[in-house]
Amino acid sequence: MDDALLTNREIASLVTLAAFVMLAIVAVVRDGSGGQILQAGRSAFATLVSTKIPLLFAGYVGCVAATVALASRWWLWDTALLKATVVWCLISGIGLFGKAFSAVEEKGVFVGALKRVVAAVVVFEFIANLASFPLWVEIPAGLLASLCTLLAVFGSQDAEHAGVVKMANTYLGIFGVAAIGWAAWRLVDDWSDIDRVLLLREFLLPLWLTPVALLLIYPLSWFAAYEGVRARMRFAANGRPIRPQRLAVMIRSAGRLGALRELQGTDSWRLGRADGFRAAWREIGDIKQDQREEREAQLAAERRLELNAGLVGTDSTGKQLDQREHAETMQALRWLATCQMGHYRNRGNRYYEGLEIIIDDLSDKYGLPRPNGVVMHISRDGQSWYAVRRTITGHWFAIGAAGPPSDQWLYDGPAAPSGFPDEAEWEQWAPGDNAPNWT
């Protein structure tokens, strides 16, 4: 197919990258922020160098290179695949290395990465890149595709831009289908002149190199998770030696990333305060038991939501039996109250009306429908406010303030509150008769 050192698509990609770099430089020169950006870049570089990430990345690259060298002794690889290998390393390889750190907090990262990479290989990286359009098509089409990608990514964060996002995704879909169709037509047309063995090797390259990279990344993820636990343990130990506690963590995790993931956050402080190996060993068991009970309680709460859906009335504590959307609504309103506290002093000691974007974002942040029905009211003097929402059950929740931060009032009931917070309808600070469900 495209046997040149760089295909038309790769040339177009370089042109697109150069165009965006030039635009960035022009923007920086115009607003005079070059010095600040340079300083931020130096600071970020210094922080990166001070960590073990460069050393880990060097080890990762070395292992990938050793794997490729080993594959060259077999049928899987030869020097004709050098460019394809470099492209895989720059795009997929570096991206997979970044997954080593996201896997510390998230489950299913490795399986998800494997599925996405294999799908990309079959649909785009292999089929679509078998042949490029003429350069006069690739450059403008590539520039427009890059622009549409940016619009789709950033526009999806705002519901007002849904039309732009739809148009951008439509173009990207058309461009992808056209690229695949063009490549397929060229493949059939040039079939007799193609090196089919090399073509098969190029197809298989990411299919065997990606799982190998994931196997290399797993111990990096384990090490990153362990380093996070160790750092928190050292902080909690306040200068005391923690080698026995660290040994307990290493033995009980037994190389399992999931076991270390359970010790993230403040739980690892308990290990730093433990007195020796046995105490840390028991503490790990207690942490795991606490987390199991928490998961069971969460499952029980979810089952109660399903069983009580549609029931009318309250339980022995005065809470509504049907609590669908209650937790999500309370979380969303509490976040809105936090935002109002922050804006109060920044807006001349007044509560702020212009939180439409934050209110709209509550739908994605807390799993509420869109529109989410949150309505906010600000007094004329800006010294009182409240926000209210009606759940799917018909129950109302409200939060607000009758004075400067950190004043806070809560309400819930079968109807919306009649006005701004007061003692007749609302509860200040904590749940009470006028806000029994605020827990």
Side-chain angles (χ1 to χ4, degrees):
M1 305 296 286
D2 290 328
D3 298 325
L5 182 61
L6 291 177
T7 65
N8 287 344
R9 185 155 301 146
E10 290 162 351
I11 293 173
S13 298
L14 292 176
V15 171
T16 301
L17 177 61
F20 278 108
V21 169
M22 290 299 297
L23 288 175
I25 292 174
V26 170
V28 168
V29 171
R30 283 188 174 182
D31 65 18
S33 60
Q36 298 176 0
I37 294 176
L38 184 60
Q39 182 62 33
R42 289 175 179 172
S43 177
F45 180 76
T47 302
L48 180 65
V49 171
S50 66
T51 66
K52 298 178 181 179
I53 294 178
L55 184 61
L56 294 174
F57 183 72
Y60 168 69
V61 172
C63 290
V64 170
T67 301
V68 171
L70 184 62
S72 66
R73 298 186 177 184
W74 302 334
W75 177 83
L76 289 173
W77 196 89
D78 62 31
T79 55
L81 295 172
L82 182 60
K83 189 185 77 169
T85 305
V86 171
V87 170
W88 180 91
C89 289
L90 292 176
I91 299 176
S92 299
I94 294 177
L96 291 175
F97 180 78
K99 296 293 183 183
F101 303 96
S102 59
V104 174
E105 303 290 342
E106 304 173 23
K107 296 181 179 180
V109 168
F110 294 106
V111 174
L114 183 60
K115 290 180 179 179
R116 286 190 296 271
V117 169
V118 170
V121 166
V122 173
V123 175
F124 186 77
E125 289 187 10
F126 182 74
I127 298 178
N129 287 329
L130 282 174
S132 305
F133 292 116
L135 199 57
W136 60 270
V137 174
E138 283 288 350
I139 291 179
L143 283 168
L144 187 55
S146 299
L147 180 60
C148 287
T149 300
L150 293 175
L151 291 175
V153 171
F154 294 104
S156 60
Q157 301 176 9
D158 192 339
E160 296 181 357
H161 299 150
V164 176
V165 172
K166 183 178 180 180
M167 181 179 64
N169 286 328
T170 300
Y171 173 78
L172 291 174
I174 293 173
F175 180 72
V177 170
I180 292 173
W182 173 260
W185 180 79
R186 288 289 308 275
L187 179 65
V188 172
D189 191 52
D190 298 339
W191 184 251
S192 59
D193 300 326
I194 292 175
D195 186 339
R196 297 164 195 171
V197 174
L198 179 62
L199 190 66
L200 178 60
R201 286 176 174 175
E202 187 173 350
F203 174 76
L204 294 176
L205 174 68
L207 296 181
W208 61 262
L209 195 52
T210 297
V212 170
L214 290 175
L215 289 175
L216 296 173
I217 288 168
Y218 186 88
L220 296 182
S221 296
W222 185 93
F223 179 76
Y226 170 75
E227 283 290 293
V229 173
R230 184 178 69 88
R232 296 183 184 93
M233 289 171 61
R234 288 181 60 187
F235 178 81
N238 196 22
R240 293 188 302 112
I242 56 171
R243 288 183 180 178
Q245 295 90 323
R246 289 167 53 189
L247 181 61
V249 170
M250 296 179 69
I251 294 176
R252 291 212 64 164
S253 66
R256 293 176 292 121
L257 179 59
L260 284 177
R261 193 183 288 121
E262 293 179 344
L263 302 179
Q264 298 295 315
T266 56
D267 285 336
S268 49
W269 293 2
R270 296 162 58 178
L271 303 178
R273 299 189 187 106
D275 187 16
F277 178 87
R278 291 185 178 180
W281 186 278
R282 289 192 299 269
E283 197 67 58
I284 293 173
D286 292 342
I287 291 172
K288 292 180 179 294
Q289 179 63 29
D290 292 344
Q291 292 181 352
R292 280 194 295 269
E293 293 176 356
E294 184 178 346
R295 288 193 294 268
E296 291 171 0
Q298 179 65 30
L299 291 174
E302 293 174 359
R303 286 195 294 269
R304 284 196 301 272
L305 282 177
E306 295 178 1
L307 293 174
N308 293 345
L311 295 182
V312 179
T314 59
D315 60 17
S316 59
T317 64
K319 296 180 181 179
Q320 295 292 307
L321 293 173
D322 190 350
Q323 297 185 13
R324 287 173 295 163
E325 292 189 353
H326 283 205
E328 296 88 343
T329 300
M330 289 185 285
Q331 290 174 340
L333 293 178
R334 285 193 184 278
W335 173 243
L336 192 57
T338 300
C339 295
Q340 278 290 11
M341 290 181 187
H343 278 286
Y344 182 85
R345 305 203 189 283
N346 294 331
R347 302 284 175 176
N349 292 335
R350 293 177 57 90
Y351 289 111
Y352 184 47
E353 296 181 1
L355 299 182
E356 292 84 0
I357 295 178
I358 292 177
I359 292 175
D360 182 73
D361 187 55
L362 296 175
S363 297
D364 296 328
K365 192 176 182 68
Y366 297 105
L368 297 174
R370 179 174 273 117
N372 53 45
V374 175
V375 179
M376 189 170 64
H377 303 271
I378 308 291
S379 63
R380 289 185 177 180
D381 61 3
Q383 299 307 302
S384 300
W385 81 282
Y386 74 96
V388 63
R389 181 180 188 271
R390 183 177 184 268
T391 68
I392 193 175
T393 68
H395 199 72
W396 290 81
F397 286 86
I399 195 169
S406 55
D407 185 50
Q408 189 169 100
W409 294 74
L410 306 173
Y411 168 88
D412 74 82
S418 60
F420 290 93
D422 58 41
E423 293 182 358
E425 287 187 302
W426 297 67
E427 295 290 337
Q428 192 174 27
W429 307 118
D433 293 340
N434 293 328
N437 292 276
W438 272 94
T439 56

